[in-house]
Every structure is written in C-alpha cells, then in structure tokens.
Amino acid sequence: MADSLVIVESPAKAKTIGKYLGSKFIVKASMGHIRDLPKSQIGVEVENDFNPKYITIRGKGSVLKELKDASKKVKNIYLAADPDREGEAIAWHLAHVLDLDETQSCRVVFNEITKQAVKDAFKQPRKINMDLVNAQQARRILDRLVGYKISPLLWKKVKKGLSAGRVQSVAVKIIQDRENEISAFVPEEYWSITARLKIGDTGFESKFYKFQGEKLELSNEEQVQNILKAIKGSKFKVADVKEKERLRHPAAPFTTSSLQQEAARKLNFRAAKTMSVAQQLYEGVDLGKEGTVGLITYMRTDSTRIAASAQEEAKEYIIDKYGDAYTPETPRQYSKKSAGAQDAHEAIRPTSALRDPESVKSFMSRDQFRLYKLVWERFMASQMSSAVLDTLSVDIAAGDAIFRAVGSKIRFPGFMKVYVEGNDDGTTDDDKYLPPLHAGDILKTEEIDPKQHFTQPPPRYTEARLVKTLEELGIGRPSTYAPTLETIQKRGYVAIEEKKFMPTELGELVIEQMEQFFPEILDVEFTAHMEGDLDHVEEGTEDWVRVLGQFYESFEKRLEVAEEEMKEIEIEDEVSDEICEKCGKPLVYKLGRFGKFLACSGFPDCRNTKPIIKDIGVTCPKCKEGHVVERRSKKGRIFYGCDRYPECDFVSWDRPSPKPCPKCSSLLVEKRNKQGVKLQCTSCDYVEQVEDQDDEAAE
C-alpha cells in the first residue's frame, strides 16, 4: 500500500522515477505549472509590494483535483520538480494548493534521473528554498510589468498584436544593430597572390608574405603587378623552415548555451528543438530490459563542473578503449565561463560514461540519438589528454619576395580521437598538410594566382551566434534563450534567411519606438545588471521587492512620458501590381512570421493569400518550359521549385545555377563548404569553387 505521493512535472519523468521508488510511492505529474498570473489582466498589485495574484491555469482543474485526491490518501507528499528556479516555483505553488506546511521537508531534487541519484535524493528531502522561488517570482513579475505596460501602448500607437519584453527586445535590438552595421559597411579592396608549388609529386600552396624584407599588405592591382614583374622568371627556393610542437586542449563539457550552439552547428537543430530533445533524454528513455533510464544530467545549467565519480568512470572507459596515454595525469577541471555563471548543477553529461551511443541507438529516435551522441562525445573528450600537433612554417624566396606556407599534422590525437568542437563559421579544423621541406629545396612552380578581394561586412546572426552573444553579454539565462528566439520570430520582428536572422520592417519600427521612450529596456548593461540582481535574489543577498521597486520607479515615469508623447503610426499596406484571382481586388504586401507575403486587400471578406514568388533566372531543368522560383516550406525553410507546379514537380533544397555543367550539361546547384560556395553537378562528379569565404575571415 502506497504511503507517499511524489509530484513531478511530466508523465515521462513520473514513469522513470516511479520505477526506481517502488510500490510505496505514487508518482504523478503536474504537467508543468499549476498556477500563474492571469492572462486577462496584469495580475500584480504594484502598490502592495508587487503582490502577485495567482490563479489556477485554465485546463489544469482536473489535474489539480487528481493531485488533491491523491494527497488525501497518503502520509507524505514530496515535490520533485526540476532543480532550478522554475522547478522550485512549481513546488511552491503545489505546496500552496495542497495546503502543505512550507517549513516541512517536502522538496526533493536530483541532477540526474538514475536509480542511485533518485534514492539518495529521497534520503535527504529539504524545505522549499524561498530565495529560488523569489528569484523566479521577481523575473515573472518584472517581465509581466514590461510586457503588460508597454504592449498596450504599442497596440494603441503602432499596431494591434505587438508586444515588448526585457530579453526579447534586446535580442531584436542586437539583430537590428548588426543590420545597421551591414548597411553602413564600406568594402575595401585587397589582393592576394597564391603560388601553387610542388616538390616531387606533392603539391601545396603558399601565400605572398613579404617584399624586399618588409611585410606588405596588397591593396591594389598596381602593387600586385609590380611584384609579379619582380618575381617573373625567379625560382622558388625554401629559405627557412620552422617546426614547433603545439598542444590543443579539449573544450569543456556542455552548458545549456554551448549545447544549443553546438547542436545548431553540427545537427542543424533550432534552440527550442535542442531543449525539447534534451528534456526527453533527461527524463528517461526506455532501454528495453534495463527499463526507462535518464540518459543525461539536468540540461539547464551554466556550470562546467563534473562530479568526481563521473570523472573516474570516464577515465576507466577511456583507458579500456584507448589506453593510458589518452587520459591526463590529473582529472580536468574547467573554470566558470563568466562571473555571472551559476554553479548549482553539474555540466551536461551522460549519466553513465559506460553507456556509449551505439549501445543505446536502437532504443532512441534519430534526434535523440544524435543529441545524446553529441553530449556523450563532448563529455568524454573533455576528460581526455590534449592533442599534440607538429606545426610547420615555411618561408619561400622568389626574387625579392617571400611567400609563406603554413601547415600541421597530428602527432598524437588525444581527445580529437573522439570529438572536435565546431565553430560559428561552419568551417572545419582540418589542418593543411605540407610535405617534408628543407632550407635550400628548389620548388617547381605550377601556377601563380593573383586575386582581387573586398572586405565583407560582419555576418548576420545565426541562432548559435546569437545565443553565444546573449550569453557573453549576460542577457537572459540558460532557460530563456530558446523561448526568446521563438518569440521574436512568432511576433514577426525578425525573419530567417539562409539560417540567419534579419529584422523585419515591423521589428525596426518597434525598436525605434522602444529606443526613444524606453532606452533602458534595450540597454545591454542595464539588462545584464538586472540579471545579476535576480541572481543575488536567488543567493539570498538581495530582496526581490526592492529590486522590482528600483526598476519600477524609473519605468513608471517612462510610461507616463510615452503615453503623452508617442505618436500614432499608421502602417499602410503596400499595394502590389497583382490582382486577387478570387475577387478582383488588388493584392497587398503583408508581413508574417517568415517574411512578406501577398494578401487580398478585401480582407476579411476575401481571405486569399499567396507567397511572393522570386524568379532566380533559371529555366526548369525538368520540363524545360517553366522557371525555377524561390519558395518557402510551411516551416519557413527556403527551397526551389518550378513555377508550373503542379504540372511540373521539380524541387531542390539547393539553389540551382543558370550555368550548365561544363562536363555533362546537367544542372549545377550551389553548395556551401568551408571555402565558401561551390557549384556541384547533380549528375556527374564536377565541382567548381566560386567564392572565397571572406565574410568569415572579416569576422
């Protein structure tokens, strides 16, 4: 007969820990928060120390009744929501609705859902931590005040349905500022000279470095031509060879933000998807005979700390699999990434290093396996020896000019045997190989290639870059990045083009108003300082009411000014040249989640809409009659198809080129690689590099 009730957030988590606790425990799920601020009103008594008025969330009545009924049948009630501010707040709300004594030890927390961790946690329940609860309440109320006070102003003065928020508005401002940088950027000309050389049967490249003993930046064609004349007919001779040993160290195990960044780079996961799949891995996966097991530790953390027991288990696996040389003499310790980083939880790691990805692959979905593999490999690599590389720098003389070739090779792979960290540029870290070279070697000249370049503006933000920037600036916390990025897209403030964020006209307009009337909301330092204050509330060194009071004092004055001085802006729809085929009225340009589209000006009487079709100047390779146009999928991803669809079903995720394959005359499509863009034939093995990746070099 069960004598204890355990309440967690989700059915998956309930299933996993229920198996560990046995028949004396009933485990039920609250399905997230039970109470929250009402949607229909601000729900905060500003004059009464910001007292929140919580109500039962719509649709949760039956869940609450079930929990109340179950609580009457047991002696003990344990609240086992996630070990963070949000989880602590869920536990506190549950304690209120179930009439639990807050002073009793009813709170149970664990950083991983494994049998040992869960059983250990139930041996030492604690009281609800009100500092954590108050930090969550302060953030919730702060965001409610900003959202529910500014949004009505924007509805009245600009457009219905707009919203503002502390973190989301700063994120849009960062994207807008980058767009302004790109618009203001003035490209500068520069040149390079590449010598393709050969010794024996091995070819390699070297770049112009010096002329007449001076380092020289090539800024125009005249300089290049003078150098080419000076070296014309000269032999390329190895002047100096420098060899060095270089150690390369592994990256720290994942935090929430670094996991989101790496999953975006390597798996093409959006931040929201990463967190959703990580939650599944944390709450448990059914491993057949082994039952349901939590595969990773808690995934909302900004700590890189690792438990000694996990390090020891990883060491045993590494020695058994790769040998003693692959483990460092002492276990690796990683410092906090920033002063604001919390250390409440460990880094994200597998709950058992011995559970390698291939051994559990058959029990997981494709996405679960790929993310688990990423977490497992990153953690194992973080506990391995450094890689040893031999680097080679070779100066090659040609007349009065010096060309330089740089390369390296791996002497000992160390952690690279398992995993190498990605980067925001999408490039790989493959090191160029150089053949054995010695001073005095005469090299065969295959080609001397002068090339004109222009500096590129800073790149737009990808999700990975934006998460990294928000973290570096101290904006938001691990749990806020994914919902923030989702919100700014849903509101139509930004659009995604080629996986990069661009501000929409609506986003620009909202930021313009916010900058004028609420500059502190968009101020990075102000927002980061506010995050620090919330951290101090969590630590028990700051009073949450005082933090809100300090903010609201100036915010209220800003609201009064904005109410008086913000002018009404009428956003008129831009009329297109197209006519609605259903009612004959003009189609107008509208702004949606994925950018502009066409809609009938007769709305709501006529609800006809159609995408804006962009002709890319390529004849359809399948029917030879239609034109290839740029389209968007339902999820906003760009693809290319024939404008005669459905008569012709040609479709391609890669952008077709107007140029036919010179080898077989088939379709060429654009592919991106570490050098930039290449044209690849869809029928034969023809590949042509067409663009240097100067934008990433500029970054």
Side-chain angles (χ1 to χ4, degrees):
M1 182 71 179
D3 60 6
S4 297
L5 171 65
V6 181
I7 304 176
V8 296
E9 304 98 309
S10 74
K13 188 173 176 181
K15 179 182 176 183
T16 306
I17 71 169
K19 183 193 69 170
Y20 300 145
L21 294 175
S23 60
K24 289 188 177 182
F25 292 82
I26 300 171
V27 186
K28 291 191 174 291
S30 68
M31 310 302 289
H33 277 277
I34 286 288
R35 298 196 306 172
D36 196 7
L37 299 174
K39 288 185 177 182
S40 58
Q41 54 181 281
I42 194 166
V44 179
E45 297 176 349
V46 174
E47 305 301 326
N48 185 22
D49 287 341
F50 303 96
N51 182 51
K53 296 189 290 184
Y54 294 115
I55 63 168
T56 301
I57 296 171
R58 180 176 291 181
K60 290 293 183 78
S62 59
V63 176
L64 184 54
K65 182 180 184 304
E66 183 183 347
L67 295 177
K68 284 183 174 180
D69 290 344
S71 68
K72 294 171 184 175
K73 300 173 183 176
V74 295
K75 295 179 182 177
N76 307 305
I77 299 175
Y78 297 102
L79 308 173
D82 287 346
D84 57 9
R85 293 177 189 171
E86 214 64 37
E88 205 71 19
I90 289 173
W92 179 68
H93 285 298
L94 285 168
H96 267 259
V97 297
L98 298 177
D99 295 322
L100 301 185
D101 182 354
E102 287 179 30
T103 63
Q104 74 179 60
S105 297
C106 62
R107 181 79 169 109
V108 175
V109 293
F110 31 80
N111 191 50
E112 59 184 69
I113 304 179
T114 57
K115 188 172 185 176
Q116 192 60 50
V118 170
K119 289 204 165 187
D120 287 347
F122 275 86
K123 290 176 183 175
Q124 43 188 348
R126 62 165 173 78
K127 299 175 186 176
I128 291 173
N129 185 328
M130 287 308 299
D131 292 330
L132 278 172
V133 173
N134 289 334
Q136 189 275 344
Q137 283 198 110
R139 174 186 285 281
R140 185 75 184 94
I141 293 169
L142 187 62
D143 290 341
R144 174 56 65 102
L145 291 172
V146 171
Y148 274 53
K149 292 287 188 179
I150 297 180
S151 296
L153 260 177
L154 295 175
W155 300 346
K156 187 162 64 175
K157 305 286 188 176
V158 184
K159 184 184 177 183
K160 280 281 186 184
L162 299 184
S163 73
R166 278 187 326 114
V167 178
Q168 74 175 55
S169 297
V170 176
V172 177
K173 173 76 161 51
I174 290 170
I175 294 167
Q176 178 64 59
D177 287 347
R178 176 55 56 90
E179 201 66 23
N180 292 341
E181 287 179 60
I182 293 169
S183 299
F185 183 82
V186 179
E188 294 181 6
E189 179 186 13
Y190 70 99
W191 286 72
S192 66
I193 305 175
T194 302
R196 295 184 177 89
L197 308 170
K198 204 170 189 180
I199 186 166
D201 295 328
T202 308
F204 63 97
E205 291 185 352
S206 62
K207 300 279 187 181
F208 171 79
Y209 179 56
K210 285 182 179 180
F211 189 68
Q212 296 179 341
E214 298 285 333
K215 283 187 181 179
L216 186 61
E217 300 292 335
L218 303 176
S219 57
N220 56 63
E221 188 175 10
E222 184 181 352
Q223 286 179 306
V224 172
Q225 291 302 327
N226 289 336
I227 290 165
L228 293 176
K229 287 177 186 176
I231 66 174
K232 188 175 182 180
S234 300
K235 289 185 177 179
F236 280 74
K237 181 180 179 180
V238 177
D240 187 34
V241 179
K242 291 178 181 173
E243 293 186 63
K244 286 184 180 178
E245 176 184 290
R246 179 167 67 92
L247 292 180
R248 180 171 173 181
H249 306 298
F254 283 131
T255 61
T256 302
S257 64
S258 61
L259 175 64
Q260 290 176 3
Q261 292 169 52
E262 195 75 336
R265 297 172 188 133
K266 291 195 169 186
L267 308 181
N268 200 26
F269 279 11
R270 303 287 297 277
K273 180 174 182 176
T274 297
M275 296 310 292
S276 173
V277 177
Q279 184 85 34
Q280 295 165 22
L281 296 175
Y282 166 69
E283 292 186 343
V285 173
D286 189 343
L287 300 183
K289 291 181 180 179
E290 195 177 350
T292 306
V293 178
L295 294 179
I296 65 170
T297 53
Y298 193 53
M299 65 285 157
R300 292 185 179 90
T301 177
D302 49 12
S303 172
T304 53
R305 179 172 54 82
I306 293 292
S309 58
Q311 288 184 311
E312 186 59 35
E313 189 179 58
K315 181 179 179 180
E316 290 175 12
Y317 181 94
I318 293 164
I319 291 174
D320 182 59
K321 178 88 172 176
Y322 303 108
D324 290 340
Y326 283 85
T327 60
E329 290 184 10
T330 56
R332 292 189 181 277
Q333 302 296 330
Y334 295 91
S335 59
K336 291 183 183 181
K337 294 186 74 174
S338 65
Q342 303 298 293
D343 202 41
H345 315 300
E346 286 186 65
I348 303 169
R349 62 167 175 83
T351 53
S352 173
L354 306 181
R355 198 177 283 115
D356 67 85
E358 289 301 324
S359 69
V360 292
K361 183 178 181 179
S362 62
F363 301 104
M364 290 192 269
S365 68
R366 180 173 180 267
D367 287 342
Q368 288 174 337
F369 170 72
R370 293 170 74 205
L371 192 66
Y372 179 68
K373 186 171 184 282
L374 195 69
V375 171
W376 187 89
E377 288 178 348
R378 173 79 163 227
F379 168 66
M380 297 303 290
S382 76
Q383 302 305 304
M384 294 175 73
S385 302
S386 299
V388 182
L389 291 85
D390 291 324
T391 62
L392 199 64
S393 177
V394 182
D395 284 353
I396 300 162
D400 287 338
I402 295 290
F403 285 70
R404 175 165 285 183
V406 178
S408 63
K409 60 181 178 180
I410 299 170
R411 188 198 306 172
F412 173 69
F415 74 93
M416 295 174 72
K417 192 94 171 173
V418 173
Y419 172 90
V420 178
E421 185 180 21
N423 55 56
D424 292 328
D425 305 338
T427 59
T428 62
D429 240 357
D430 296 336
D431 293 290
K432 292 181 179 177
Y433 172 78
L434 289 180
L437 294 167
H438 307 89
D441 284 345
I442 303 297
L443 307 171
K444 180 182 177 182
T445 309
E446 295 205 302
E447 183 184 11
I448 298 175
D449 181 22
K451 190 172 282 187
Q452 182 187 40
H453 309 269
F454 290 92
T455 54
Q456 298 295 310
R460 293 187 174 99
Y461 286 100
T462 59
E463 272 209 355
R465 271 200 191 100
L466 188 57
V467 166
K468 184 178 181 182
T469 301
L470 291 171
E471 182 187 32
E472 289 172 346
L473 295 173
I475 307 300
R477 282 297 178 260
S479 61
T480 66
Y481 299 136
T484 295
L485 301 189
E486 287 291 301
T487 299
I488 61 177
Q489 291 172 70
K490 286 179 181 176
R491 297 293 183 190
Y493 297 156
V494 300
I496 292 184
E497 296 283 347
E498 296 181 347
K499 300 181 184 178
K500 296 182 177 69
F501 286 110
M502 292 177 62
T504 62
E505 294 168 29
L506 186 61
E508 291 178 28
L509 189 59
V510 170
I511 291 301
E512 185 182 315
Q513 297 302 310
M514 292 285 288
E515 278 186 310
Q516 183 176 351
F517 294 101
F518 302 98
E520 71 278 3
I521 300 295
L522 297 181
D523 183 78
V524 167
E525 288 188 15
F526 175 86
T527 307
H529 179 73
M530 183 61 69
E531 294 292 351
D533 284 345
L534 293 174
D535 290 341
H536 295 322
V537 172
E538 177 176 333
E539 294 157 7
T541 58
E542 183 64 271
D543 179 67
W544 71 280
V545 175
R546 195 178 79 85
V547 168
L548 291 174
Q550 286 179 328
F551 165 78
Y552 197 75
E553 185 178 354
S554 61
F555 180 63
E556 190 174 31
K557 293 174 184 175
R558 293 277 189 194
L559 282 168
E560 292 171 2
V561 172
E563 187 71 51
E564 290 292 323
E565 299 182 8
M566 188 183 287
K567 295 177 182 177
E568 288 191 30
I569 298 170
E570 188 174 343
I571 303 176
E572 293 186 2
D573 292 323
E574 181 185 350
V575 181
S576 76
D577 296 329
E578 296 193 46
I579 300 298
C580 176
E581 61 269 27
K582 291 186 177 180
C583 72
K585 290 183 179 179
L587 294 179
V588 295
Y589 292 103
K590 292 282 188 180
L591 191 63
R593 181 179 176 186
F594 301 119
K596 284 186 174 181
F597 64 95
L598 289 168
C600 183
S601 57
F603 180 88
D605 297 327
C606 178
R607 296 177 177 268
N608 184 32
T609 63
K610 57 192 293 188
I612 297 172
I613 295 176
K614 182 179 176 184
D615 192 329
I616 66 169
V618 178
T619 301
C620 177
K622 188 167 185 178
C623 70
K624 311 297 183 186
E625 295 179 24
H627 295 275
V628 177
V629 294
E630 183 180 293
R631 298 182 183 273
R632 280 189 184 273
S633 69
K634 289 181 179 179
K635 293 187 177 180
R637 185 179 172 188
I638 290 175
F639 69 97
Y640 304 89
C642 181
D643 64 357
R644 293 181 65 245
Y645 178 85
E647 286 83 8
C648 175
D649 62 358
F650 169 77
V651 68
S652 171
W653 288 114
D654 300 309
R655 185 186 179 97
S657 169
K659 173 180 166 183
C661 174
K663 194 171 177 181
C664 71
S665 299
S666 296
L667 177 69
L668 291 177
V669 294
E670 293 181 4
K671 295 275 190 180
R672 293 197 169 270
N673 62 5
K674 64 180 181 178
Q675 283 79 34
V677 177
K678 65 181 179 180
L679 294 179
Q680 183 171 307
C681 183
T682 54
S683 296
C684 71
D685 59 358
Y686 178 79
V687 177
E688 175 189 346
Q689 194 71 41
V690 294
E691 181 182 315
D692 286 331
Q693 200 167 7
D694 294 346
D695 60 335
E696 303 299 357
E699 189 188 11

